[in-house]
Amino acid sequence: MGFLQRIVRNDAMKIDPPEIYSWRVLLLACSACFGGMLFGMDIGIIGGVLTLPAFESEFGIAGLSKTDAANLSANIVSVMQAGAFAGALIANPISDRIGRKPGLFMVSVLTIIGVVFQSASSGKLAAMYIGRFISGLGLGAATMLTPTYISENAPRAIRGALTGLYQLFETTGAMLAFWINYGSLLHLEGNATWIVPISMQALPAILLAIGMLLCHESPRFLARRDEWEKASSILAKVRNLPIEHPYVQTELAEMQAQLEEERALVGGNSFWDIQKEMWTISGNRKRALISIFLMVCQQMTGTNAINYYAPTIFTDLGVTGNANSLFATGVYGICKVVGCALFLIFLADSLGRKKSLLWSAIAMGLMMFYLGFYVRFDPPKLGSAVPPAGYVALVAVYLFAVFFQFGWGPVCWIYVSEIPTARLRGYNVSLAAATQWLFNFVVARATPVMLTTVGNGGYGTYFIFGSFCFSMFFFVWFFIPETKGVSLERMDELFGMAEFKDIEDVGVAAQHAGHEKAQEIQIERLDPRSA
């Protein structure tokens, strides 16, 4: 507790009981976050595999023109996004019916099946496409389920850090994937150079399945189904407090009050009732639109353009040879992991969501514009040494990765999973995840073509992404309220939909209970008749 108090600075941390920050909730979050590692492993591995000579030969890429090869590479990458888009939308009704935990277990099964198809494709594009689409279904569902599951379990004071672990696991998966590609190129031969990396994508899926077997269902999901006895028991276990503790009882009272308020606004649970609740009620509509626009902005930073095509981009910046470009990509992955870890530890629940998005948007835009100016005015020449400006460009790519992890990477997932109402949380995150995958698809499909057609060396690509970064600053400034330290149920107050006048804040309730207990003990000690 002392460590958390020193690094996490918000009002909730000051008043909530220290017992709730246990290893149990951290391990729960980490188990679910292997769903994020699935995404990171895929984007990291496929970007490197596409440049391997054995893969290019096996799938007929080597004999194509530069533009045709770019189109085929984009197809292989983007068919996964198509599956993920569908998976993100399907995950919501399925998880609302069977639960978050079984949903995440299904994610692992789908991913493993997809990996088997890809690894056994043997040069058959149809098998590769089918495998990537099936894996995409799992990855898309994971992007909806993982942040939702964690946010519904996390204590409010550290909800940002715990939900942001999704992004940390994603970047860790990408980093591991970059080095797996590099090691395969150095130490393996023939088709093994691409089969082994693709097969390794099954590892986080297996770990996710094991983790879900050891975890429990979300207490807020159980509350929605009116299974209050189970919800109370699990919430007490996650909070590391007895069921009768005022903190647990007040949190349960907030859940009940929010659900009653939502049911009073729109009575039924049918598809059209949910649509009516989402789009006709101002506070819900605002949250849905914020979530969608945040995910559009996240993808238009250009981060996944670099993630998918990092080896190609480093080659364009003057890094020659497959081994060197994959090594540079591996360093890029390390920068992402370190940046994300530092943000989650020191800033996610202290600096807050809004400020993190504001400053990182400007910083990323500056890095993208430098890359554009470098490629436009001092482009690398084949066979010549990398100029000093080229080394600065490499540093700009690494700094871009760090800045993204200090804001738009983890914060978007934190924000979209914490602001919705209880009944609409799954649907809201599903829309956000589907939007993310749709624009991920657009970026993945367009980037290789942009790099060959938008100006010499593709310099215009960097100006386009940089311009989006700068414009995002104004979107956040005017439309994004701060949410750090606010409980999930009290988000309705923040967005003007409910008031909790009769319910004491959970932390304050716990403090009052603690003071009353201390007073009772003191009276017993002072009164000699108590002996």
Side-chain angles (χ1 to χ4, degrees):
M1 175 61 181
F3 173 71
L4 285 176
Q5 279 186 319
R6 285 194 294 271
I7 63 174
V8 177
R9 301 186 181 277
N10 60 47
D11 293 338
M13 176 59 72
K14 296 174 184 176
I15 62 176
D16 288 356
E19 293 88 350
I20 67 175
Y21 308 109
S22 65
W23 285 104
R24 183 176 290 142
V25 71
L26 176 61
L27 292 175
L28 177 149
C30 290
S31 297
C33 280
F34 284 111
M37 190 173 284
L38 296 174
F39 180 26
M41 288 281 279
D42 182 89
I43 61 177
I45 282 176
I46 199 63
V49 161
L50 288 171
T51 67
L52 296 175
F55 184 87
E56 291 180 337
S57 175
E58 186 74 8
F59 288 89
I61 299 175
L64 300 176
S65 67
K66 189 173 182 180
T67 301
D68 288 341
N71 282 327
L72 181 54
S73 296
N75 289 338
I76 293 173
V77 170
S78 57
V79 71
M80 186 274 290
Q81 280 90 346
F85 176 78
L89 292 176
I90 294 170
N92 174 52
I94 291 177
S95 67
D96 277 352
R97 182 175 295 273
I98 67 173
R100 317 302 193 207
K101 174 181 172 178
L104 282 167
F105 188 84
M106 287 177 61
V107 162
S108 64
V109 174
L110 281 171
T111 305
I112 291 170
I113 293 172
V115 168
V116 170
F117 268 89
Q118 292 177 68
S119 301
S121 55
S122 301
K124 305 292 191 301
L125 275 172
M128 176 62 72
Y129 287 151
I130 291 170
R132 288 192 58 72
F133 185 83
I134 294 173
S135 289
L137 290 173
L139 268 63
T143 55
M144 176 263 154
L145 285 165
T146 300
T148 303
Y149 180 72
I150 297 172
S151 68
E152 290 181 344
N153 281 281
R156 60 179 183 169
I158 57 170
R159 188 177 59 244
L162 291 181
T163 309
L165 283 173
Y166 172 85
Q167 183 72 18
L168 179 62
F169 272 64
E170 179 193 317
T171 56
T172 301
M175 179 195 69
L176 293 174
F178 294 148
W179 290 109
I180 288 170
N181 286 338
Y182 182 65
S184 297
L185 182 66
L186 292 182
H187 302 293
L188 299 176
E189 296 180 357
N191 286 335
T193 58
W194 64 268
I195 292 175
V196 170
I198 285 178
S199 300
M200 289 295 291
Q201 294 178 81
L203 178 60
I206 294 170
L207 295 175
L208 175 63
I210 295 172
M212 285 301 100
L213 290 175
L214 301 175
C215 288
H216 55 70
E217 186 52 86
S218 159
R220 284 175 169 83
F221 170 79
L222 294 170
R224 281 187 57 205
R225 297 175 61 136
D226 289 326
E227 298 182 29
W228 288 100
E229 187 174 343
K230 287 183 180 179
S232 302
S233 175
I234 290 174
L235 184 64
K237 187 178 294 185
V238 175
R239 295 293 178 261
N240 199 31
L241 294 169
I243 291 180
E244 63 273 9
H245 193 282
Y247 188 93
V248 175
Q249 290 301 312
T250 306
E251 193 167 355
L252 289 167
E254 285 186 350
M255 291 184 202
Q256 188 170 15
Q258 185 190 39
L259 288 169
E260 289 174 356
E261 182 76 22
E262 293 171 20
R263 288 166 180 165
L265 290 171
V266 178
N269 289 308
S270 70
F271 173 80
W272 292 113
D273 290 328
I274 296 297
Q275 298 303 314
K276 183 179 178 182
E277 186 176 351
M278 175 70 88
W279 301 110
T280 64
I281 298 173
S282 175
N284 291 338
R285 183 173 62 249
K286 181 179 180 181
R287 284 181 272 191
L289 292 174
I290 284 175
S291 299
I292 289 169
F293 281 114
L294 277 177
M295 287 305 182
V296 173
C297 291
Q298 186 195 60
Q299 292 308 303
M300 298 315 294
T301 60
T303 180
N304 279 323
I306 298 178
N307 288 342
Y308 283 117
Y309 302 106
T312 302
I313 289 172
F314 282 120
T315 299
D316 290 342
L317 295 177
V319 178
T320 58
N322 267 341
N324 289 336
S325 65
L326 288 176
F327 180 83
T329 304
V331 176
Y332 172 77
I334 292 174
C335 291
K336 290 174 62 180
V337 171
V338 172
C340 189
L342 291 175
F343 173 76
L344 295 180
I345 294 171
F346 296 107
L347 296 177
D349 290 299
S350 299
L351 181 62
R353 307 355 174 193
K354 184 167 185 173
K355 290 179 181 178
S356 299
L357 293 173
L358 287 171
W359 82 264
S360 60
I362 297 298
M364 289 188 298
L366 292 173
M367 296 304 102
M368 279 293 186
F369 264 68
Y370 178 83
L371 292 172
F373 283 122
Y374 165 65
V375 176
R376 171 64 180 85
F377 295 108
D378 190 17
K381 297 177 178 60
L382 186 63
S384 62
V386 179
Y391 286 110
V392 177
L394 295 177
V395 173
V397 173
Y398 296 142
L399 287 176
F400 173 87
V402 173
F403 295 148
F404 180 78
Q405 300 305 328
F406 268 76
W408 287 86
V411 170
C412 288
W413 292 111
I414 295 168
Y415 204 85
V416 303
S417 64
E418 68 184 1
I419 62 172
T421 64
R423 273 173 37 113
L424 298 178
R425 181 166 294 110
Y427 182 33
N428 193 94
V429 179
S430 179
L431 285 178
T435 302
Q436 186 259 356
W437 284 112
L438 176 62
F439 281 83
N440 192 317
F441 172 85
V442 170
V443 170
R445 190 67 185 82
T447 296
V449 180
M450 291 168 67
L451 289 172
T452 59
T453 59
V454 185
N456 294 330
Y459 72 86
T461 306
Y462 305 105
F463 288 131
I464 291 171
F465 288 132
S467 298
F468 275 109
C469 290
F470 288 133
S471 65
M472 286 150 40
F473 174 91
F474 299 99
F475 167 66
V476 174
W477 181 272
F478 289 108
F479 296 107
I480 303 297
E482 183 55 71
T483 59
K484 71 172 181 178
V486 181
S487 71
L488 292 183
E489 285 66 37
R490 290 183 184 268
M491 293 293 174
D492 281 0
E493 279 190 315
L494 184 64
F495 286 90
M497 280 187 58
E499 293 185 5
F500 290 82
K501 291 180 179 179
D502 299 328
I503 301 177
E504 200 170 25
D505 179 86
V506 287
V508 174
Q511 281 193 329
H512 286 172
H515 292 326
E516 290 170 4
K517 186 175 181 180
Q519 288 173 354
E520 290 174 4
I521 294 172
Q522 187 176 16
I523 289 170
E524 288 178 0
R525 287 176 177 172
L526 291 175
D527 190 350
R529 291 173 296 178
S530 64

